[in-house]
Structure formats: structure tokens, C-alpha cells
């Protein structure tokens, strides 16, 4: 059984390898079996349409196909997942959630969004997790999620009875979230599926389902550009992840950031970003604790 984070394994490597060594991690509950939906597209030009019509659709099998002659050995391990704590939800995150809820309610009233919203996508990190968690206290119901990474906030939505189903590639909970997940595995498992990244981040699926892309920025500028990765344009804070896949192809693209960093010493809203990961063509809405700014409206 793979670790929770190992769903991003490059399946093509297993298919093409002469020999495969399997890790059997006995630290993972056997009940995790069945959470995965592994679908392997054909090679171009014979690649078929990915038949995901709803967030909960299963289109593959719950295992990575591997022929018996390929298996060179099985390694037993008991290594627990190495997960990190998330920052506590602060006033800034609560304010951003409030602005998001107000904006989405206005979209519903204007007839641009169904009452149960469109499938949500949420980025990685404490701010993204706090915002999605805050929806548990909203009036929205019957929500769905089509994202890459599932964090604690999705568990909060399930516990609040707000989330019908979540599709992702990886689980990256906090230590407390991981324990909660294991303690209520059957409940959460019934509302989740983990897919290969090629499926979870498919531009065509994101566009067709009408995903609401919600990701975080280190900084954004007055022209609508977003820097998600580089501090002061040089030091890499993190990778771009799947934010580009969803920002470019989402029905609605939202970026969140606190207005200031380092206890107010640095503004996160700048004249021009020191590094650009997402151009103004990919962004619809910016949200900080101070308010909301729409581009292209």
C-alpha cells in the first residue's frame, strides 16, 4: 500500500519498468484500500477523452496495474507519514473567508453561479486551508471539490455536513488532521477519491466542470500579476504546484494573500511583482483581509 502522499507516483515508470520493488507500509490502515482511482490514458494520438463528468465519477481501478513477472521484491516498512502543522486560523484569514462568502453569494444572486456553487479547488498552505475551512460556517450546502491536495479544511466541511464529495491527488493534513482522518476513516473515505495528478489537474476537466480555482499568492501587483513562488524575486519559497493548471482553466480564478507580511514591514500588494507566475489574463479576483478586487469586470 502506498503512503498517502505517494499518489503522485509516475505510473508510466511502473508500466515501463523491467523490475518493480513494492513497499508494503504496514503503518497505514488496510481500510485505505479503495480510495484510489487509477486511470491510465492512452498515448497520443490515440488518447481518449477523460470521462469525468461529475466530481465523484470513478473511471479507473483502485490500484496501479503491475504484472507479476515485473515484481522483483516486496519491502516491508512501518514509516508514518511526515506531516506538518498548519497555522492557526487568524483574524486575517477569517476576514478573507468573509469576503469570499459575500462575493459568492452575490454571484448566486446575479445568476452567475448555482446555489450549491461549482466544484471548488483549493491550494496548499495555512491560508488556503483556513479559507476553505471557513466555508463550514457559511450557508452553502452540497459542495463539491475537484482539487489536487486535500487538507484539514475538507475534513471540516465533511464534519459540518457541507461537502458531498472531494476529488484530489494527495492528502496533506496536519498531525491533528491525520489522526482525525484515521479515527473516522470510513466516514471520510466514502466522500473522497484520490486520482493521478494527470487526471486531478487536467485542464479540460477543470474547464468543463467549471472549477472555482482558489490559490494563494506571495504578492500581487496593480496590473493583476501574481507571484506564488519567489521571495524578493530570487529566493524560492515553494513551487508553483497545480495553481497554474487551475488558474488558467478555472471558470473563476481567485487568489488570496494577506495585505502585508513580516508584521506589516512588507506590503504584499506591490506596483509590479518581482517574479510573475500567473499573468493578469489568468486572474479574476484578488482577496486580502482588507477587501476584494476584481479584474476584467
Amino acid at each position: 500500500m502506498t503512503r498517502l502522499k505517494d499518489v503522485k507516483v509516475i505510473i508510466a515508470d511502473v508500466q515501463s519498468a523491467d523490475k518493480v520493488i513494492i513497499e508494503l507500509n504496514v503503518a497505514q490502515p488496510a481500510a485505505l484500500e479503495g480510495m484510489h482511482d487509477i486511470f491510465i490514458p492512452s498515448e497520443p494520438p490515440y488518447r481518449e477523452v477523460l470521462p469525468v463528468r461529475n466530481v465523484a465519477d470513478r473511471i479507473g481501478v483502485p490500484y496501479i496495474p503491475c504484472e507479476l513477472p515485473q515484481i522483483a521484491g516486496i519491502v516491508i516498512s512501518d514509516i508514518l507519514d511526515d506531516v506538518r502543522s498548519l497555522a492557526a486560523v487568524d483574524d486575517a484569514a477569517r476576514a478573507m473567508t468573509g469576503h469570499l462568502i459575500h462575493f459568492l453569494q452575490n454571484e448566486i444572486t446575479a445568476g452567475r453561479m448555482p446555489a450549491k456553487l461549482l466544484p471548488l479547488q483549493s491550494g496548499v498552505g495555512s491560508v488556503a486551508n483556513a479559507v476553505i475551512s471557513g466555508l463550514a460556517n457559511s450557508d452553502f450546502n452540497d459542495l463539491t471539490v475537484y482539487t489536487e491536495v486535500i487538507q484539514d479544511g475538507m475534513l471540516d466541511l465533511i464534519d459540518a455536513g457541507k461537502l458531498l464529495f472531494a476529488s484530489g491527488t494527495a492528502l496533506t493534513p496536519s498531525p491533528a488532521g491525520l489522526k482525525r482522518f484515521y479515527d473516522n476513516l470510513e466516514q471520510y473515505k466514502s466522500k473522497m477519491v484520490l486520482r493521478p495528478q494527470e487526471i486531478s489537474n487536467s485542464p479540460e476537466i477543470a474547464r468543463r466542470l467549471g472549477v472555482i480555482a482558489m490559490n494563494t499568492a506571495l504578492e500581487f501587483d496593480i496590473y493583476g500579476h501574481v507571484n506564488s513562488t519567489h521571495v524578493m524575486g530570487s529566493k524560492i519559497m515553494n513551487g508553483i504546484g497545480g495553481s497554474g493548471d487551475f488558474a488558467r482553466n478555472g471558470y473563476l480564478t481567485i487568489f488570496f494573500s494577506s495585505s502585508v507580511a513580516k508584521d506589516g514591514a512588507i506590503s504584499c500588494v506591490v506596483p509590479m511583482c518581482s517574479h510573475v507566475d500567473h499573468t493578469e489574463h489568468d486572474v479574476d479576483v484578488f482577496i486580502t483581509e482588507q477587501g476584494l478586487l476584481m479584474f476584467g469586470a
Side-chain angles (χ1 to χ4, degrees):
M1 182 178 297
T2 59
R3 295 188 206 172
L4 295 180
K5 294 182 183 178
D6 288 345
V7 187
K8 294 181 181 179
V9 65
I10 302 176
I11 298 172
D13 287 350
V14 176
Q15 290 182 294
S16 60
D18 294 326
K19 296 296 180 182
V20 175
I21 298 175
I22 296 174
E23 176 191 351
L24 179 61
N25 191 334
V26 296
Q28 300 291 353
L32 287 172
E33 185 176 357
M35 279 195 67
H36 302 83
D37 183 50
I38 308 300
F39 180 85
I40 305 172
S42 303
E43 291 299 319
Y46 308 107
R47 181 162 292 177
E48 62 270 42
V49 173
L50 299 174
V52 177
R53 295 178 176 83
N54 296 287
V55 167
D57 283 351
R58 286 178 172 269
I59 61 175
V61 294
Y63 53 83
I64 298 173
C66 179
E67 297 297 328
L68 186 59
Q70 289 179 275
I71 300 175
I74 299 175
V75 177
I76 306 297
S77 73
D78 58 357
I79 302 173
L80 296 173
D81 282 315
D82 181 20
V83 294
R84 295 181 296 177
S85 298
L86 294 164
V89 178
D90 58 14
D91 290 339
R94 293 188 189 94
M96 284 187 268
T97 302
H99 297 317
L100 172 67
I101 292 172
H102 181 69
F103 170 74
L104 293 176
Q105 287 173 335
N106 283 343
E107 292 296 289
I108 293 170
T109 300
R112 292 187 290 266
M113 192 79 65
K116 62 180 181 180
L117 303 180
L118 294 166
L120 305 174
Q121 178 267 328
S122 178
V124 182
S126 296
V127 171
N129 182 72
V131 169
I132 201 75
S133 176
L135 295 179
N137 298 316
S138 72
D139 292 331
F140 302 126
N141 292 290
D142 298 333
L143 299 175
T144 57
V145 168
Y146 197 84
T147 192
E148 179 181 353
V149 178
I150 296 174
Q151 294 185 274
D152 291 23
M154 309 297 180
L155 306 184
D156 295 336
L157 291 179
I158 292 174
D159 290 346
K162 300 285 187 178
L163 184 63
L164 292 179
F165 204 85
S167 168
T169 284
L171 287 167
T172 58
S174 67
L178 184 61
K179 183 179 185 305
R180 178 163 42 140
F181 177 78
Y182 284 153
D183 289 345
N184 302 277
L185 182 53
E186 290 301 328
Q187 174 193 1
Y188 295 132
K189 177 182 173 181
S190 67
K191 294 182 179 295
M192 293 182 185
V193 65
L194 299 179
R195 313 179 191 273
Q197 192 175 33
E198 185 175 11
I199 310 300
S200 70
N201 292 36
S202 165
E204 192 277 329
I205 295 177
R207 184 174 292 269
R208 179 160 42 82
L209 294 182
V211 166
I212 301 174
M214 302 189 296
N215 292 282
T216 55
L218 292 180
E219 63 180 359
F220 60 87
D221 65 31
I222 60 176
Y223 299 98
H225 302 118
V226 174
N227 173 14
S228 296
T229 59
H230 289 64
V231 177
M232 303 301 292
S234 59
K235 182 181 178 181
I236 296 178
M237 179 71 172
N238 48 251
I240 193 174
S243 60
D245 301 324
F246 293 104
R248 173 59 61 92
N249 298 287
Y251 174 81
L252 182 67
T253 296
I254 304 171
F255 277 92
F256 297 88
S257 175
S258 296
S259 61
V260 294
K262 301 298 182 182
D263 297 322
I266 300 175
S267 176
C268 297
V269 184
V270 296
M272 182 168 287
C273 286
S274 55
H275 172 88
V276 175
D277 291 299
H278 312 286
T279 73
E280 80 278 9
H281 303 295
D282 300 335
V283 185
D284 298 308
V285 180
F286 287 119
I287 297 179
T288 75
E289 79 281 7
Q290 302 292 336
L292 178 149
L293 177 64
M294 297 180 64
F295 275 80

Short mmCIF file of all heavy atoms in Angstrom, two decimals, residues 12 41 67 78 84 90 104 146 155 214 216 243 272 296:
data_model
loop_
_atom_site.label_atom_id
_atom_site.label_comp_id
_atom_site.label_asym_id
_atom_site.label_seq_id
_atom_site.Cartn_x
_atom_site.Cartn_y
_atom_site.Cartn_z
N ALA A 12 3.67 5.74 -15.35
CA ALA A 12 4.38 5.27 -16.54
C ALA A 12 5.65 4.52 -16.17
O ALA A 12 6.07 3.59 -16.88
CB ALA A 12 4.70 6.45 -17.45
N PRO A 41 -4.31 7.08 -19.32
CA PRO A 41 -4.69 7.44 -20.69
C PRO A 41 -3.78 6.78 -21.71
O PRO A 41 -2.61 6.49 -21.43
CB PRO A 41 -4.51 8.97 -20.71
CG PRO A 41 -4.49 9.38 -19.28
CD PRO A 41 -3.87 8.24 -18.54
N GLU A 67 2.32 -6.22 -13.71
CA GLU A 67 2.32 -7.64 -14.00
C GLU A 67 3.20 -8.39 -13.00
O GLU A 67 4.24 -7.88 -12.56
CB GLU A 67 2.82 -7.89 -15.42
CG GLU A 67 1.94 -7.28 -16.50
CD GLU A 67 0.55 -7.89 -16.52
OE1 GLU A 67 0.41 -9.08 -16.19
OE2 GLU A 67 -0.40 -7.16 -16.87
N ASP A 78 7.32 0.48 8.11
CA ASP A 78 6.32 0.98 9.05
C ASP A 78 6.53 2.46 9.28
O ASP A 78 6.38 2.97 10.40
CB ASP A 78 6.38 0.21 10.37
CG ASP A 78 7.74 0.30 11.04
OD1 ASP A 78 8.65 0.91 10.45
OD2 ASP A 78 7.89 -0.23 12.17
N ARG A 84 3.02 18.22 8.43
CA ARG A 84 3.37 19.45 9.14
C ARG A 84 2.13 20.13 9.68
O ARG A 84 1.04 20.03 9.12
CB ARG A 84 4.11 20.41 8.21
CG ARG A 84 5.46 19.89 7.73
CD ARG A 84 6.15 20.90 6.85
NE ARG A 84 5.39 21.14 5.61
CZ ARG A 84 5.74 22.04 4.69
NH1 ARG A 84 6.82 22.78 4.88
NH2 ARG A 84 5.02 22.17 3.60
N ASP A 90 -6.41 32.87 11.84
CA ASP A 90 -6.34 34.18 12.49
C ASP A 90 -7.40 35.12 11.93
O ASP A 90 -8.21 34.75 11.07
CB ASP A 90 -4.94 34.79 12.33
CG ASP A 90 -4.53 34.94 10.86
OD1 ASP A 90 -5.41 34.84 9.97
OD2 ASP A 90 -3.33 35.17 10.61
N LEU A 104 -19.31 35.25 -3.39
CA LEU A 104 -20.00 34.11 -3.99
C LEU A 104 -21.52 34.25 -3.84
O LEU A 104 -22.27 33.87 -4.76
CB LEU A 104 -19.52 32.82 -3.35
CG LEU A 104 -18.05 32.44 -3.64
CD1 LEU A 104 -17.66 31.19 -2.86
CD2 LEU A 104 -17.81 32.24 -5.13
N TYR A 146 -12.96 19.62 -6.54
CA TYR A 146 -12.11 18.98 -7.54
C TYR A 146 -10.77 19.69 -7.49
O TYR A 146 -10.59 20.77 -8.04
CB TYR A 146 -12.71 19.06 -8.94
CG TYR A 146 -12.08 18.07 -9.90
CD1 TYR A 146 -12.53 16.76 -9.94
CD2 TYR A 146 -11.02 18.43 -10.72
CE1 TYR A 146 -11.95 15.82 -10.80
CE2 TYR A 146 -10.43 17.51 -11.57
CZ TYR A 146 -10.90 16.21 -11.61
OH TYR A 146 -10.31 15.28 -12.44
N LEU A 155 -11.92 18.18 5.66
CA LEU A 155 -12.49 17.37 6.75
C LEU A 155 -13.50 18.21 7.53
O LEU A 155 -14.53 17.69 7.96
CB LEU A 155 -11.38 16.87 7.67
CG LEU A 155 -10.22 16.10 7.03
CD1 LEU A 155 -9.27 15.58 8.10
CD2 LEU A 155 -10.72 14.95 6.17
N MET A 214 -9.07 28.50 -6.27
CA MET A 214 -8.74 29.37 -5.14
C MET A 214 -7.33 29.03 -4.65
O MET A 214 -7.10 27.96 -4.08
CB MET A 214 -9.75 29.18 -4.01
CG MET A 214 -11.19 29.47 -4.42
SD MET A 214 -12.35 29.49 -3.04
CE MET A 214 -12.24 27.80 -2.46
N THR A 216 -3.21 30.76 -3.30
CA THR A 216 -2.60 31.84 -2.53
C THR A 216 -1.43 32.46 -3.28
O THR A 216 -0.78 31.81 -4.10
CB THR A 216 -2.11 31.33 -1.16
OG1 THR A 216 -1.23 30.22 -1.35
CG2 THR A 216 -3.29 30.89 -0.31
N SER A 243 -1.33 25.37 -9.14
CA SER A 243 -2.08 26.64 -9.24
C SER A 243 -2.21 27.11 -10.67
O SER A 243 -3.24 27.66 -11.07
CB SER A 243 -1.43 27.72 -8.37
OG SER A 243 -0.10 27.96 -8.77
N MET A 272 4.71 46.35 -9.05
CA MET A 272 4.94 45.30 -10.04
C MET A 272 5.63 44.13 -9.34
O MET A 272 6.59 44.32 -8.59
CB MET A 272 5.79 45.79 -11.20
CG MET A 272 6.03 44.73 -12.28
SD MET A 272 6.72 45.39 -13.81
CE MET A 272 5.28 46.23 -14.48
N GLY A 296 -10.94 42.55 -14.83
CA GLY A 296 -11.68 42.19 -16.04
C GLY A 296 -13.18 42.28 -15.86
O GLY A 296 -13.94 41.77 -16.67
#
